[in-house]
Amino acid sequence: MTGTAVGRVLWVLGLLALWGGLSPAWALPVEEAEQMGRDAVALHAGGDLRGAEQTLNQAFKVLGEGGRKPGPWDRGENWQRHVRLYLLRELADLRLTQGRPAEAQALLSDASALALGNSAEEAHVLNQKGLVDWRGGNLAVAEREFSQAKTRYDRLGPDHDLNKAMVRGNLGLILLDRFTAGGPAADLRRAESLFSEALATFQAQGEKDGMANQWGNLGLVYLNQNRLDEAEQAQKKALVLCQEIGDQIGEVDALGSLGRVAEEKGEGKVAADLYRQAFDLSKDVGYARGIAHHGLYLASLFLEQGDAVRAEAYGLPALAQAQEIGNALTTSLLLDLMTQAAIAQGDCTAARSRYQALSGFDGTLGERRARLSARRLADPVRRCRP
């Protein structure tokens, strides 16, 4: 889980302080558009992605042409640009949840041009770009963007402590993914430190969204360290916080992580139930990444139990989502599992097609995994008989 809500409201404090300097003709539509943006954030977190999209589109209509042109940040009317940037970032975040990363990137490119010259806005956009690249498996690019965001936040002083904590947590995600892909144990220890630092800041300020994210992140660290009881407690804290604030997207992630803990404990039935809850909720709200990840976990679990049919029932929809959102690592893992499922059922045509697709990775986290899978599966695919 990642925190993006923290940075969404900080600029509003300055914005509200300056309404008096704007003419009423500017103030009313800008204020209305900003409030609609807030409403959209709540709808997004609550799982109403269609409602969030409709509200954001309406907010852009209310804002009209305000804030469209880049330029100096020394005129009162440029607060319209703050609102437009806010709406662009929220729409990009929504597109990411919907599994439309190319559209998210395009929106953030527009936002980058508008943000130039304002360190806080540049940092917000860089952080958001980092999230898109992180979810796409482009860790080097994401790390650079998060680091650039952190540099800008660091220059802005204590008013941006929550943003600094958010980006520290996001840098921890890079280290966690690198460790998961075969990196050194030092990456995992550093990730734990960054998550703990971020959590302390969010706890000090009572920011539940950030607390939920970092408890979830720490739970993943503990899982990788085989500290299963601590991992379970951390994910339960994340789940409770998400339920308290109505964050169904975060709830999906916490349920799935609890499933992983249960599976590691040898509680297969409990794990399958938690994965199904996460998968079903992801489908209900249209959370593409949740469908991909939890379909992967279910496919792996059922394949281990010798149930190739059920493995495909969850794995194939998950594969389609992983390919659509451009997550190379998840795609390579699912192609591996789905090749095995096809072999187990004697579907040699599907097995060969999926095996061949494993060779299509280049320069991503999925590349190494795909090469290993291809070597391991070469003989089973060759020996496949209908």
Side-chain angles (χ1 to χ4, degrees):
M1 291 183 291
T2 58
T4 58
V6 176
R8 296 168 176 161
V9 297
L10 295 179
W11 63 267
V12 177
L13 300 177
L15 177 62
L16 294 177
L18 291 173
W19 282 130
L22 297 176
S23 68
W26 290 9
L28 291 177
V30 175
E31 186 173 14
E32 183 181 357
E34 184 271 326
Q35 182 57 54
M36 294 177 79
R38 290 186 177 192
D39 293 342
V41 170
L43 290 167
H44 182 177
D48 185 357
L49 304 192
R50 179 176 295 181
E53 182 169 3
Q54 290 173 343
T55 303
L56 284 169
N57 288 336
Q58 185 61 32
F60 280 112
K61 289 180 181 178
V62 169
L63 189 60
E65 295 299 310
R68 279 189 178 277
K69 295 181 180 179
W73 287 87
D74 58 358
R75 300 191 305 272
E77 67 265 25
N78 277 312
W79 284 108
Q80 295 171 305
R81 204 180 340 163
H82 282 289
V83 176
R84 182 169 296 280
L85 281 162
Y86 174 49
L87 297 176
L88 284 170
R89 292 198 311 272
E90 294 312 318
L91 185 55
D93 194 34
L94 179 64
R95 291 290 181 254
L96 198 55
T97 299
Q98 293 170 325
R100 295 153 68 177
E103 293 178 47
Q105 287 283 24
L107 288 162
L108 292 171
S109 293
D110 292 343
S112 291
L114 287 178
L116 284 175
N118 185 296
S119 292
E121 292 291 2
E122 288 175 1
H124 298 334
V125 174
L126 283 164
N127 181 70
Q128 198 82 357
K129 283 186 168 183
L131 291 172
V132 176
D133 284 311
W134 166 67
R135 289 191 176 177
N138 302 314
L139 298 192
V141 176
E143 182 177 33
R144 182 172 66 249
E145 288 162 337
F146 289 146
S147 296
Q148 290 172 347
K150 182 179 182 299
T151 298
R152 285 164 173 78
Y153 286 137
D154 286 342
R155 293 171 182 163
L156 293 171
D159 287 346
H160 287 267
D161 282 350
L162 289 176
N163 283 323
K164 295 173 192 176
M166 173 182 63
V167 81
R168 277 200 298 272
N170 291 343
L171 284 165
L173 292 170
I174 301 293
L175 293 166
L176 178 59
D177 276 8
R178 282 189 176 148
F179 171 81
T180 303
D187 284 346
L188 189 62
R189 292 193 296 271
R190 179 58 179 150
E192 180 180 5
S193 176
L194 288 169
F195 295 149
S196 297
E197 291 171 13
L199 176 62
T201 300
F202 290 129
Q203 287 177 321
Q205 302 205 29
E207 215 293 313
K208 290 187 177 182
D209 179 50
M211 289 163 60
N213 288 327
Q214 302 314 318
W215 275 123
N217 291 338
L218 282 168
L220 294 177
V221 170
Y222 301 150
L223 178 62
N224 279 282
Q225 294 171 334
N226 204 35
R227 296 156 62 182
L228 299 184
D229 288 340
E230 291 174 81
E232 183 175 19
Q233 289 306 310
Q235 296 298 349
K236 284 182 176 178
K237 289 177 181 178
L239 179 61
V240 168
L241 285 164
C242 288
Q243 290 171 336
E244 285 181 2
I245 62 178
D247 182 359
Q248 288 196 303
I249 304 301
E251 187 175 346
V252 165
D253 292 336
L255 286 167
S257 295
L258 283 168
R260 293 178 64 189
V261 174
E263 187 172 359
E264 285 296 316
K265 286 185 171 184
E267 301 169 354
K269 290 184 179 179
V270 174
D273 182 61
L274 287 163
Y275 290 152
R276 271 194 293 262
Q277 289 182 54
F279 184 85
D280 291 344
L281 183 54
S282 296
K283 288 183 68 177
D284 287 345
V285 303
Y287 180 22
R289 183 168 172 263
I291 295 170
H293 282 190
H294 301 105
L296 167 66
Y297 301 147
L298 283 163
S300 178
L301 190 63
F302 288 131
L303 200 58
E304 286 179 9
Q305 295 171 357
D307 192 341
V309 174
R310 292 174 80 187
E312 280 197 339
Y314 287 100
L316 291 177
L319 176 60
Q321 289 290 338
Q323 290 172 324
E324 185 173 344
I325 65 179
N327 190 309
L329 180 58
T330 303
T331 298
S332 66
L333 291 170
L334 282 160
L335 282 169
D336 183 328
L337 292 173
M338 293 301 93
T339 302
Q340 294 181 59
I343 293 170
Q345 296 175 87
D347 187 350
C348 302
T349 300
R352 293 188 186 100
S353 174
R354 295 166 191 174
Y355 174 76
Q356 188 174 18
L358 281 167
S359 63
F361 293 85
D362 184 28
T364 68
L365 262 183
E367 181 183 8
R368 179 174 178 271
R369 183 78 66 174
R371 287 201 308 267
L372 293 172
S373 296
R375 285 199 294 268
R376 179 172 47 77
L377 291 170
D379 284 341
V381 170
R382 190 164 46 248
R383 292 195 304 267
C384 181
R385 295 292 182 271

